[in-house]
Amino acid sequence: GERHGFRNAQVTVVAPTGTIALVMDCDTTGIEPDFALVKFKKLAGGGDFKIINQSVPPALARLGYTPRQIDDIVRYCRGAGTLVGCPHVNPASLRAKGFTDDAIVKLEAAMGGAFEIQFAFNRWTLGDDFLRDKLNIRPELYESPTFDLLTHLGFTRAQVAEASEYVCGTMTVEGAPHLRTEHLPVFDCANKCGKIGKRFLSVESHIRMMAAAQPFISGAISKTINMPHDASVEDVKKAYELSWSLMLKANALYRDGSKLSQPLNSVADAPELETLAAATEEAPAQVPAVAVTPAQQAAAVKIAEKIVHRYIARRRRLPDRRAGYTQKARIGNHKVYLRTGEYEDGALGEIFIDMHKEGAAFRSMTNCFAIAVSLGLQHGVPLEEFVDAFVFTRFEPNGIVSGNPHIKMSTSIIDYIFRELAVTYLGRYDLAHVEPESLRGDALHRDEPDYETEEIVAERIVDTPKAPAGPRRLAVPKSDHVKPGPGGNGPGPAGSDGSAKGKNGGAKPATGGYSATPASKPAAATSSAAGTLLAERVKQARMKGYEGDPCSECGQLTLVRSGACAKCDTCGATSGCS
């Protein structure tokens, strides 16, 4: 500051990104330790490449090590990057197993960026023709994702591990030759380095590094605090409490291996896989090894298939009295009744499909299809297999589904049936259109029943000389509370119910009468009707995917969730942050 001048403007934020470090020729950017001394970054377009910390040689030189000692330590960490001089797996041993000089040259080119030595011995490096024609490996073997060429060639797991350590390095300086113990903390990283590494910086050290810089920054520090794979919930709690006590403005935690896709990795396998591999290696030492010939393996597979076939071939019959349910739905103006039968444990055992407005041939084919599915269920075929096979089939009738609380659209009758079965018996709400939260008991529903047709005949009759006053009639279904007249088709004669007979046989108000208007209804009835109408609108809005809450600007029930806020599809207003 005294030499180059002080900066007047205060730093607002520190926002490091890992990718820009490659362009800037940096090992890290921002206030953070390195992820690992040697790590592998996955590329967006596929593949990965090896990133080596370039600060290790200068740090060793600053600590007083000689150039020869530095070379030995770096070689121990990064590896030789070549098969020349490699134990067990080297050009001489590979030629003895049928490798050509051209194949060895391809392998040598791939060793520099290999995660482990096994990653270079694959069909993409050597080619399918070489594996099939030169090494006599069947395509079904090398096309398998679990195929390991070195193991197939006869190398043991211990030999492959030793060769991989020579070529690709240990990826850590722990145990390196010449390196003194007191210098190990200089090279500690956010995670354990390599498979044999044990040291790493604690979460507390990350947080205290940020706290030292926070007073000089008005905003927050974009820094991910890396936690080891075995971090617990209690560790996360302590990390947040420490950040709060040190007055940090932001804290982002990440546990190693917690996502299916992780950009940076320091080891090839998760700790669970390493434990499983170690247990597999220890098993032969406890149990005497038995040589198994290919003929014996084929015989064992046939016996296993026969046992599975014999188990499935035994039909599990349903009890005579069984539980189940009947679901009525309408698809494209076609009524469909789905009935199910269940075992004592609630598992699905049979289905019945009834349809109307279809010919006898179609109904017969539908019944036969239901019988075939029922027999499959009773013989052990999982319902998941039927669902995966028949969902999304398309034929007439199809379209909008009414009568089902979860499914509102289907591409065919079969698609609807297996969507319904998947939702009910498998909990597959990903195949439904209405989430279970929308159908909870505290959701708003209509209390009055639905009628196919309804006629409003509420009229108030006043006293007139021509017709006596009758009782007030309320809104009722068309088929209720209307007494037939002598002819049996209409109401009685004039005066029998306080009204005159119309030309169509219906009731009409007498002279001097007037129809009831909304203003003449009681206040309680008006309030109840308005509440019912609002509840119906909210229910319809939720069925369409909206939140069901009114917009503060336009009042429409078209709010959709956008992050932590809501946005109106009608007017575009937001609740604050979207």
Side-chain angles (χ1 to χ4, degrees), residues 57-71:
L60 292 172
R62 183 67 178 270
L63 293 173
Y65 292 93
T66 64
R68 183 179 181 85
Q69 291 175 332
I70 295 175
D71 290 341

Side-chain angles (χ1 to χ4, degrees), residues 162-348:
E162 187 178 352
S164 181
E165 182 177 324
Y166 175 86
V167 176
C168 303
T170 60
M171 304 182 191
T172 181
V173 295
E174 297 179 45
H178 316 301
L179 186 64
R180 294 187 288 274
T181 305
E182 59 269 19
H183 293 158
L184 285 176
V186 177
F187 304 97
D188 286 342
C189 297
N191 295 280
K192 297 177 182 179
C193 296
K195 292 183 178 181
I196 65 174
K198 303 297 181 183
R199 301 174 58 89
F200 65 95
L201 291 174
S202 64
V203 175
E204 181 179 354
S205 64
H206 289 236
I207 298 174
R208 294 193 180 276
M209 288 170 62
M210 298 168 62
Q214 184 66 79
F216 304 97
I217 303 173
S218 61
I221 302 173
S222 177
K223 160 76 177 74
T224 300
I225 299 174
N226 299 100
M227 307 187 76
H229 182 82
D230 55 354
S232 63
V233 177
E234 188 65 24
D235 296 332
V236 175
K237 178 181 177 181
K238 292 179 180 178
Y240 280 123
E241 288 179 346
L242 180 61
S243 299
W244 166 76
S245 63
L246 296 176
M247 294 184 291
L248 286 179
K249 295 187 177 182
N251 183 344
L253 299 179
Y254 179 74
R255 184 177 63 85
D256 186 29
S258 60
K259 292 197 300 184
L260 293 178
S261 178
Q262 182 171 307
L264 287 177
N265 293 276
S266 59
V267 294
D269 298 327
E272 292 88 351
L273 298 180
E274 293 297 317
T275 304
L276 180 61
T280 305
E281 289 293 330
E282 294 175 359
Q286 300 173 0
V287 181
V290 179
V292 181
T293 63
Q296 292 174 331
Q297 293 179 352
V301 171
K302 289 183 179 180
I303 293 175
E305 292 176 351
K306 189 174 183 180
I307 292 174
V308 173
H309 174 74
R310 188 173 294 174
Y311 171 77
I312 294 178
R314 297 181 60 182
R315 180 181 178 184
R316 182 188 176 193
R317 294 187 176 274
L318 286 161
D320 294 336
R321 185 180 180 89
R322 63 204 67 168
Y325 70 92
T326 300
Q327 175 67 54
K328 174 187 174 182
R330 189 185 296 269
I331 304 174
N333 206 27
H334 290 252
K335 291 182 180 179
V336 180
Y337 293 86
L338 173 64
R339 292 183 290 128
T340 65
E342 301 175 357
Y343 290 101
E344 295 86 343
D345 57 357
L348 179 64

Side-chain angles (χ1 to χ4, degrees), residues 444 533-543 547-548 557:
L444 297 176
L533 179 60
L534 177 60
E536 181 64 21
R537 291 181 58 199
V538 170
K539 180 181 177 181
Q540 293 179 1
R542 289 179 176 176
M543 292 175 61
E547 293 295 308
L557 303 176

Side-chain angles (χ1 to χ4, degrees), residues 83 135-136 228 315 318 362 372 392 397 405 513 519 528:
L83 292 174
L135 300 182
N136 298 322
R315 180 181 178 184
L318 286 161
F362 188 85
F392 302 115
S528 176

